[in-house]
Amino acid sequence: MQPFTYMRPTTAPDAVSAFASAGADARYIAGGTTLYDLMKLNIEQPRHLIDITAIAGLDKIETDGDRLRFEALAPMSAVATNDVIIRDYPVLAEALSKAASQQLRNMARVGGNLLQRTRCMYFRNGADGVYPCNKREPGSGCAALRGLDRGQAVFGTSDACTAVSPGDFPVALVAMDAQLEILGPAGSRTLPIGDLYRLPADTPHLEFTLAPGEMITAIVVPKTAAGRGSTYHKIRDRESYAFALASAAVALEMDGDQVSRAHIALGGVATKPWRAPEAELKLAGQRLTPEVALDAGRAAFSGASPGKYNGFKVELGARTVADALLIAAERSRS
Amino acid sequence: MSTAPFPDRARIDAFDKVRGATEYAADIQFPGLLHAMTVTARIAKGTMTELSTDAAMRVPGVVRVLTPDDFPPPPPTGGEDGPPPPPPTLEKRIAYRGQPVAVVVAETLEAAIAGAEAVRPNFADEQFSCRIDSAGAESESTEDWTAGDAAEAMAGAATAIEATYESPTQHHNPIELLATTAVWADGRLTIHECSQGVNVTKGSVAGALHLDPALIDVKSAYIGGGFGQKGLAQRQTALVAHAAMLTGRPVKLVLPRGQIFHVATYRPNSRHRIQLGADATGKMVAARYHAEHEQSRTGFFSPAEYHESPIRMYGIENYLGTAANIRIDRQAPGYMRAPHPQASCFAFESAVDELAYKLDRDPVAFRIENDTKVDPKTGHPLSSRLLNECLTEGARRFGWSRRSAAPGSMTASDGTQIGWGVAAGCYPSMMPPAIATLRIGANGSTRFATSGHEMGQGIRTAIAAVLLEGLDINADKLDIVIGDTTAAPQHMTAGSWGTAGAVPVAAKAVERMRAAVSELLAGRTVAGNLHRQLATVRRPYIEIEVSQVGAGQNDDALAQLREGGFVVAGPEYPEFTTMSYIAHFVEVHIELHTRRIRMPRVVSIADCGRVISPRTAASQVRGGVVWAFSAALREATEIDRRYGGYLNNDLADYVVAVNADIGEIEVGFVDQPDPLANSMGLKGLGEVAMVGASPAIANAIFHATGKRMRELPIRIEHLL
Ligand SMILES: Cc1cc2nc3c(=O)[nH]c(=O)nc-3n(C[C@H](O)[C@H](O)[C@H](O)COP(=O)(O)OP(=O)(O)OC[C@H]3O[C@@H](n4cnc5c(N)ncnc54)[C@H](O)[C@@H]3O)c2cc1C
Ligand code: SF4
């Protein structure tokens, strides 16, 4: 770990200008649960930390009107336990409450959550130069490609990187067509959440589309009737405190027994939060039986390209989507 | 000996522990303390060609960098039977990735870390083998374990099965990290380390640094989980001690978990090929079993001992156990809870289940009918064996009679597959000698000092149970001093022999103390507890010393104990063999589609002789079952054969069971004293608690699905 400066601005514009004057080696820090971890592993080596948690009034959770709005500094645990979210948008509450541990969720903020980095073991282990990793050290190669790839992605991979995008909440937000409010040196803008994430292609070290100094200030989710008929179904190696092997964020608008509109996104299997339009299309107008659900799951994974040890994610993922659809349909009826 | 059951008693240190008042090795503060951090080898095998410390010395706060040049050459190794040689200190020869090559000592932890990162050694690397099946791995056979004539009996068997089972590399991961603080003052070296064997640590450091052991004291009052990882001196111990001597200041090192994965011992990846044969009546008559495991180039953790439990599980008169080390370029594996039988009884008890199914027999009845009263290996009687009582009582509590025998025949309404499985375990019951002093003061205090280590298993609570049962003393001013070479001669605490070492000697101390008090009172009746009585007769204190040896041991054992030696009696005592037993009954549920495996309930019944501390005993069994679950369904250390080293080296990625994974665990004890093992009739428990629970889970999965899982860990992908 190397020495760094640390400051705690109290307004968002102050934070943005502090970042601009600090330069490229600066990082915002919120809960610190990702950033400090990676700093201790020497993977992140910022020279300036701009702690944004002292910014007043940037942690509101708004559920009135025609949208949900979570400000960036709202703790994961606060959004996960919000009564309206639990009742009307279980997919969002579950994506948060099934992530990490209670202690981490208390510290971590929903803004920082969107920017966590991969758990690829070779990425996390290589700061001493043993394992080549293009994400950590562009051009060094990818140890995971012919390595222990049980946890790696089956969608969106490239010859340079197969690392999974690990977050759960972003998957749910992608399914629900969320928008981000962003404040930067050049002013503010909004961005569909799906456009925040890049595919690795041949530049896996570039993960997000934020410009230097841009800060996420809020997450906005349009309200939809599909919210109540929703779930985040997460299959992992243990019952809590583990990242997904495969997960599905599903929300259904039903017309009686028939699906009128399905939202489906996949986690744990792709290099970015992965929307599954093939499966959504397949379901439209269908009566949701277990067979139809499994067909949709299989459709979602039709384009998968697994490696050596992660082939099971294709079948597991399809079944996870199928189970999620049945849970969501059940909820939409109650 | 009274044989009345001991009453339930809370842990005597529970209140301090939940308040955070208990001091572990890393908590003890010293003025002028320096912090150390190790620099590790980036190659898996070869030689360090250059080590520049200039950049590290320029880091503000760095005081000194220790390199291989600072250490004396390794001591000559002793004979085959002596204590294991001390771990090497710093060397230029690299035997495995992650080996320490330098130690940076600094005023702050941050400076030590920054200094360690600034040391960039150069290496000449060599071809290496880091997995059991890597090219360059060398197989080396060890001694056989035999009974009767297995080849002939197998040839005559009416029914036989043959299968191979595998258990992965797994790491202990106690919550407490490896912590050492060394203080060099007034010509004495005092080491505070989380150690299950302060005597071993003392001898090892003396050997490594060429010091007189009489100058060294080692203290380990509380350990935050040991599980065998802390039985021997650590690679870091002599490094920290030497740093303290060179700098003249106390030095502390708390090794980061990622480094612990690379230097501490671990459960080696092992393979078990088993042939089991039964005669026409369904009696098991022959077993042929070959075990092999990954091993370092120089390690000594013996694969032959995989046979120690299986050969005594049943009355199989013909047994041929062969074994081999597969030597590769990794650090040495070692003892990890239920060290050999976790893997070998997984294999053996799975094989027994397979044979029971092949014979169309109920797996509980099949085990009961294959009972034995003699040790097939020695022909001697077993001093006590109540495995059938464990099986019968477990079956009753579990409701085994309601089991539908056919695999895949029990399902819940939502399609969840239900499986009921059983397996048993046994483990040697051993006993080290002990010397104890007991001092009761008129001021209300009592001090009992003996050999032993408290790693959370509850040894102090067991000792207190005996002292408080036999003596009218203040419970709240009872000081039990263990894990301290200055308090009493110490023996390593491992292998479930802690209670057998400490409790009979405590009982003897009670007897001797009562005699001493009645001699003092000489027939007078004096009111009040012992403290009051002493005060009344104006005696400031009474102190007595007692010693105790295991069956077949004599004063030589006490002399060896005083020398810090390894002197465990059993399980083969001169005229009998003593084993502890357990039976586990497990229910698993397997989800219809996504195949998650859950374990809603377990019933475990143990025969550990007389139960001294019911609460901590039950806790040991629950802990054993939890870890067996974790070992069966969760844990595996990932090694990429191209690089060596361990990839998932933190608690986020090395997946251990969590609370949410664990269902109801019902624990019961036969609680019958063993007539021969020792004066208290107790047998070991901590190890046997875990033995057999992993195969019970695998057997339950077979019952649920019809799929025989022969390789651990069993994960979702294996059942999809
Ligand atoms: C052991 C462990 C297990 C975990 N398990 C899970 C899991 O199962 N599922 C899951 O989804 N997550 C999991 N997580 C990840 C956890 O959810 C994230 O670490 C957390 O959400 C990050 O939030 P934070 O506020 O702590 O971010 P920080 O660490 O403070 O920041 C993360 C990154 O975001 C940047 N940043 C922070 N806030 C902003 C902002 N407003 N605008 C722009 N940039 C910003 C920082 O510069 C940094 O690069 C786990 C983490 C750990 C350590
Ligand atoms: S998959 Fe990506 S993150 Fe992992 S080693 Fe390869 S390049 Fe690095």
Side-chain angles (χ1 to χ4, degrees), chain B residues 222-247:
Chain B
Y222 290 94
I223 305 158
F227 312 115
Q229 186 196 59
K230 295 165 178 170
L232 300 177
Q234 303 298 338
R235 183 88 193 224
Q236 71 196 44
T237 318
L239 308 184
V240 177
H242 200 47
M245 294 177 72
L246 290 177
T247 58

Side-chain angles (χ1 to χ4, degrees), chain B residues 598-602 622 626 629 658-666:
Chain B
R598 295 184 166 114
M599 184 179 76
R601 71 188 180 107
V602 180
R622 281 193 294 272
V626 169
F629 171 94
V658 292
N659 247 326
D661 287 324
I662 304 302
E664 194 184 310
I665 301 171
E666 182 180 338

Side-chain angles (χ1 to χ4, degrees), chain A residues 19 26-37 44 52 58 72-73 76 95 98-101 104-105 107-117 119 166-170 208 210 214-217 234 236 241-244, chain B residues 651-652:
Chain A
F19 196 115
R27 292 279 188 291
Y28 293 123
I29 184 153
T33 61
T34 286
L35 192 57
Y36 286 143
D37 184 25
E44 295 267 9
I52 56 176
L58 200 61
L73 295 178
M76 286 170 75
K98 291 181 183 176
S101 65
L104 287 160
R105 293 192 294 271
M107 285 299 291
R109 314 305 172 99
V110 291
N113 180 282
L114 307 183
L115 301 169
Q116 54 183 295
R117 303 194 66 189
R119 302 296 301 190
D168 294 302
F169 193 44
F208 309 106
L210 291 182
E214 279 195 318
M215 187 196 326
I216 297 170
T217 51
K234 180 176 178 183
R236 43 189 157 167
Y241 194 44
F243 290 90
Chain B
L651 283 180

Side-chain angles (χ1 to χ4, degrees), chain A residues 118 120 122-123 132-135 141-144 152 160-163 204:
Chain A
T118 186
C120 171
Y122 297 97
F123 170 77
C133 170
N134 289 323
K135 196 184 273 301
C142 169
Q152 299 299 107
C161 181
T162 61

Side-chain angles (χ1 to χ4, degrees), chain A residues 194-211:
Chain A
D195 294 347
L196 176 64
Y197 301 96
R198 297 171 186 259
L199 288 172
D202 51 9
T203 54
H205 59 293
L206 303 176
E207 295 169 337
F208 309 106
T209 56
L210 291 182

